[in-house]
């Protein structure tokens, strides 16, 4: 099975992590020590996004495997 040339989930993961780190650095620059709680929330959102993307990837992979197994089973019955 060929992999797609552009992986949307990978791009989404990279973008969300990059934006999160940029926001954390910007908060530190603008707010100093008062930024700590906001940085914590930003990190929590980043981790939640990463887990969500990983779950979607796992779901798609399992769905693809089941479809492939179903196709192979159907081909085996026809022979």
């Amino acid at each position: 099975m060929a992999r797609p040339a552009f992986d949307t989930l990978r791009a989404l993961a990279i973008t969300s992590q990059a934006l999160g780190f940029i926001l954390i650095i910007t908060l530190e620059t603008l707010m100093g020590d008062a930024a700590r709680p906001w940085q914590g929330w930003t990190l929590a959102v980043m981790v939640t996004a990463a887990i969500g993307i990983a779950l979607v990837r796992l779901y798609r992979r399992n769905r693809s495997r089941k479809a492939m197994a179903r196709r192979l089973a159907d081909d085996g019955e026809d022979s």
Side-chain angles (χ1 to χ4, degrees), residues 19-36:
L19 289 175
F21 284 123
I22 289 169
L23 181 58
I24 287 173
I25 292 168
T26 302
L27 286 169
E28 180 70 28
T29 302
L30 297 176
M31 298 175 69
D33 287 338
R36 297 288 182 216

Side-chain angles (χ1 to χ4, degrees), residues 32-51:
D33 287 338
R36 297 288 182 216
W38 294 104
Q39 290 172 325
W41 283 108
T42 302
L43 183 60
V45 170
M46 290 169 61
V47 169
T48 303
I51 291 171

